[in-house]
Amino acid sequence: MAARTQSEWLCLQQSYAKLDMQALWLKLLSLLVWFWLLHSGSSARVQFAAIALFWLHEALLRTVQQRTAERLLQLEQALAQNQDIGMQWHSAWQQQRGGITALAMSYLHQALKPTVAITYIALAILSIIRMFDI
């Protein structure tokens, strides 16, 4: 058994789960802030800015989580083949990182995933409804 690979897998699996929990807490915080903004009579512009910031932050979290998932799959494949590729995550990522456009696209891709976007789209729609008293 490749001890370094197994050790990295265990660490990253815990990290993956923590990132999921952080994203859920972020959604809860965004809801609480949005309700507070609504209750305090903040303008729609402020509400949209808050929604956008929370949405962006969750996209960043989910991008890191996706990279973690990709590495977990690489580690699982290495473990199945009894290879030791552990403790090389950053050098492996650096080789396939891509430029600024690729990084920005990865953030955008995560932001547009339904599980990420649905909360923020719903809040934006509710802000619009509230703005026009529909």
Side-chain angles (χ1 to χ4, degrees), residues 53-83:
L53 286 173
F54 281 111
W55 196 347
L56 175 63
H57 190 77
E58 186 172 351
L60 296 174
L61 271 176
R62 295 298 185 172
T63 301
V64 172
Q65 188 181 38
Q66 179 61 37
R67 290 178 191 150
T68 303
E70 290 168 3
R71 180 62 178 171
L72 283 167
L73 291 172
Q74 291 171 354
L75 293 169
E76 289 174 7
Q77 184 178 17
L79 286 168
Q81 297 170 356
N82 204 23
Q83 295 176 340

Side-chain angles (χ1 to χ4, degrees), residues 16 49-50 97 118:
Y16 183 89
R97 176 178 174 245
I118 191 71

Side-chain angles (χ1 to χ4, degrees), residues 78-91:
L79 286 168
Q81 297 170 356
N82 204 23
Q83 295 176 340
D84 194 0
I85 64 165
M87 311 306 179
Q88 299 171 26
W89 185 16
H90 294 289
S91 57

Side-chain angles (χ1 to χ4, degrees), residues 88-104:
Q88 299 171 26
W89 185 16
H90 294 289
S91 57
W93 182 75
Q94 188 70 28
Q95 291 174 354
Q96 59 89 35
R97 176 178 174 245
I100 190 87
T101 304
L103 291 174

